[in-house]
């Protein structure tokens, strides 16, 4: 427990009273909002190490690629270290499996890693010879003595039934995102690996030609970058990241937030404003410009909150980086740009709190997890994962906020509960001799 609770100057009765009070307070907070206990945003916190201090390290991209080439040529099936595991993707969807789901527990999905020999065999059955250039280095866990690779098999339709016979399925990354138990650090790590792999493979698919001279590009450094094949050009090309600002705009009294609706949103869902950064523009300038363009509201102070990789956009943008801010309005009048938004309104802290409290995010996660299980078992049923969330009374909530997998959720919930969270922080900082706040 916390150090001040175990102070030698604290009596057993005082210690117990403080401990129970803190447990009750933090438990109430976790029941009210699921946004304050995450170690990472969804798609962040990748447990694979993608770089090593020395190129000669056997787990570095260059050394691992040489080992991979040896393994691909090896017909004697001799063991070489480190081993290689491959994650196939089809049309941006990673291979996945599902397990568990006993009793009241929701099933858990896992990435469908396959051994290198198995990957060679699956592709050979489709008349394709596996080459090192078709594999992209994802990283390693040295403690496992394994290097992990990704591969795009979108052109091999025959693999779908073959994997299906082994209860493996290519699942949309957004579905896995919703199905992931955000309180499970290992599951969040799997999601981060899948997001990283999808971003790299999608970038490879849109960077086949040099933008400078038009010649074909070739993968370099185990797929970590590309290079123009034209000897007179040799332009280096690196994976693409598209930065986006996302902001919760707050009024001057700090008791209302500006939320918006878009046509692509699920009905009744309200979220933060967001927009792409333009060349020659700072992050703060982008926040102010986008807010003004979309709503006519003028923003003053802009405060950084956190960032989140977002590899679930269109394939033309392999990975967006959502950079989150709290922004404070200098004006209140709203003039919505109908080409960008359906609506934008000021919402009170209490109304937003209700939206966070009543939306059944766990129910949505369980529903998505069951869908993944059905897909892997070949019994997928038509189901809309964006179906309406219900309030505890069984009636439709007037509004709801994106789930804990989205940075918008955390921008909003950290503002809604800032007084309570700050209260916990103040309590934890008290000297051991004081109980004035308990």
């Amino acid at each position: 427990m916390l150090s001040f609770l175990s102070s030698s100057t604290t009596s057993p009765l005082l210690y117990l009273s403080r401990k129970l009070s803190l447990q009750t307070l933090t438990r109430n907070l976790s029941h009210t909002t699921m946004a304050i206990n995450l170690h990472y945003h969804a798609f962040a916190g990748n447990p694979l190490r993608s770089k090593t201090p020395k190129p000669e390290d056997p787990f570095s991209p260059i050394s691992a690629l040489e080992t991979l080439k040896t393994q691909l040529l090896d017909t004697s099936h001799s063991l070489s270290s480190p081993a290689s595991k491959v994650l196939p993707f089809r049309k941006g969807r990673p291979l996945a499996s599902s397990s568990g789901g006993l009793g009241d527990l929701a099933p858990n999905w896992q990435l469908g890693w396959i051994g290198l020999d198995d990957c060679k065999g699956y592709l050979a059955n489709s008349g394709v010879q596996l080459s090192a250039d078709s594999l992209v280095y994802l990283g390693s866990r040295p403690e496992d003595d394994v290097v992990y690779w990704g591969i795009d098999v979108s052109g091999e339709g025959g693999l779908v039934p073959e994997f299906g016979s082994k209860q493996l399925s290519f699942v949309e990354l957004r579905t896995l995102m919703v199905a992931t138990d955000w309180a499970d650090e290992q599951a969040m790590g799997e999601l981060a690996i899948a997001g990283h792999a999808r971003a790299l493979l999608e970038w490879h698919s849109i960077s086949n030609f040099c933008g400078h001279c038009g010649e074909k590009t070739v993968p370099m450094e185990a797929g970590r970058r590309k290079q123009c094949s034209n000897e007179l050009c040799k332009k280096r090309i690196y994976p693409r990241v598209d930065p986006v600002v996302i902001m919760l705009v707050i009024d001057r009294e700090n008791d209302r937030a500006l939320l918006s609706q878009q046509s692509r949103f699920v009905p009744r869902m309200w979220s933060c404003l967001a927009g792409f950064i333009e060349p020659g523009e700072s992050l703060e300038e982008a926040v102010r410009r986008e807010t003004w363009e979309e709503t006519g509201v003028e923003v003053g102070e802009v405060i950084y909150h956190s960032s989140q990789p977002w590899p679930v956009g269109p394939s033309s943008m392999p990975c967006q980086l959502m950079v989150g801010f709290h922004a404070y309005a200098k004006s209140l009048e709203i003039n919505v740009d109908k080409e960008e938004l359906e609506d934008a309104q000021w919402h009170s802290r209490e109304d937003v709190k209700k939206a966070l409290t009543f939306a059944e995010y766990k129910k949505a996660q369980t529903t998505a997890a069951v869908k993944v299980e059905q897909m892997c078992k070949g019994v997928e049923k038509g189901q809309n994962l964006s179906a309406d969330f219900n309030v505890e009374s069984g009636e439709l909530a007037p509004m709801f906020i994106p789930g804990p997998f989205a940075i918008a959720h955390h921008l909003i919930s950290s503002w809604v509960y800032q007084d309570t969270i700050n209260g916990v922080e103040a309590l934890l900082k008290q000297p051991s001799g004081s109980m004035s706040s308990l």
Side-chain angles (χ1 to χ4, degrees), residues 275-308:
F276 287 96
I277 300 168
E278 294 185 353
E281 186 176 51
S282 72
L283 296 169
E284 294 82 0
E285 287 170 333
V287 169
R288 297 186 181 103
R289 176 186 53 77
E290 283 288 343
T291 304
W292 173 256
E293 289 178 354
E294 295 186 351
T295 67
V297 172
E298 187 178 357
V299 162
E301 185 179 16
V302 176
I303 299 175
Y304 174 75
H305 180 276
S306 60
S307 62
Q308 177 185 30

Side-chain angles (χ1 to χ4, degrees), residues 88-349:
F89 276 73
R90 186 173 187 270
K91 297 180 179 179
R93 303 179 179 192
L95 192 66
S97 65
S98 183
S99 62
L102 299 177
D104 295 332
L105 298 176
N108 299 312
W109 67 268
Q110 300 88 31
L111 293 175
W113 296 104
I114 58 177
L116 187 62
D117 284 344
D118 289 335
C119 187
K120 288 168 60 178
Y122 287 133
L123 290 175
N125 292 341
S126 298
V128 178
Q129 183 175 359
L130 181 62
S131 69
D133 283 350
S134 61
L135 292 160
V136 174
Y137 176 88
L138 300 180
S140 65
R141 291 191 185 103
E143 64 272 17
D144 296 339
D145 197 30
V146 173
V147 173
Y148 297 89
W149 304 85
I151 187 171
D152 188 347
V153 295
S154 299
E156 317 307 326
L159 292 177
V160 175
E162 190 165 2
F163 283 131
S165 67
K166 297 173 173 57
Q167 296 199 351
L168 293 165
S169 179
F170 292 102
V171 183
E172 180 69 45
L173 190 56
R174 280 184 176 269
T175 302
L176 296 179
M177 175 184 75
V178 180
T180 301
D181 182 353
W182 52 86
D184 184 337
E185 191 171 352
Q186 183 174 350
M188 292 287 278
E190 290 272 283
L191 185 65
I193 293 170
H196 171 66
R198 182 183 190 268
L200 276 177
L201 291 170
E202 292 291 305
W203 168 73
H204 270 273
S205 71
I206 63 171
S207 59
N208 290 320
F209 298 93
C210 175
H212 182 68
C213 71
E215 291 293 328
K216 286 186 67 68
T217 58
V218 293
M220 304 292 289
E221 297 178 17
R224 305 296 294 179
R225 68 174 177 90
K226 283 189 166 185
Q227 185 167 302
C228 179
S229 59
N230 183 352
E231 287 294 324
L232 299 177
C233 179
K234 287 192 173 182
K235 186 176 180 64
R236 292 187 172 198
I237 306 165
Y238 291 91
R240 172 176 165 180
V241 176
D242 296 283
V244 177
V245 289
I246 179 168
M247 49 278 187
L248 181 68
V249 180
I250 304 162
D251 71 354
R252 285 169 292 195
E253 287 72 32
N254 196 30
D255 58 11
R256 288 190 300 169
L258 181 62
L259 301 178
S260 67
Q261 284 186 317
Q262 295 187 32
S263 57
R264 62 184 177 84
F265 286 0
V266 178
R268 301 179 300 101
M269 188 176 86
W270 294 78
S271 189
C272 299
L273 300 172
F276 287 96
I277 300 168
E278 294 185 353
E281 186 176 51
S282 72
L283 296 169
E284 294 82 0
E285 287 170 333
V287 169
R288 297 186 181 103
R289 176 186 53 77
E290 283 288 343
T291 304
W292 173 256
E293 289 178 354
E294 295 186 351
T295 67
V297 172
E298 187 178 357
V299 162
E301 185 179 16
V302 176
I303 299 175
Y304 174 75
H305 180 276
S306 60
S307 62
Q308 177 185 30
W310 193 248
V312 289
S315 59
S316 60
M317 290 180 283
C319 188
Q320 298 170 22
L321 178 65
M322 311 297 289
V323 188
F325 295 90
H326 284 163
Y328 291 88
K330 295 168 65 177
S331 64
L332 297 177
E333 185 177 351
I334 299 173
N335 183 18
V336 177
D337 180 354
K338 290 294 185 178
E339 292 186 4
E340 293 285 340
L341 306 174
E342 278 196 349
D343 197 8
Q345 295 180 16
W346 291 104
H347 295 267
S348 71
R349 189 190 300 266

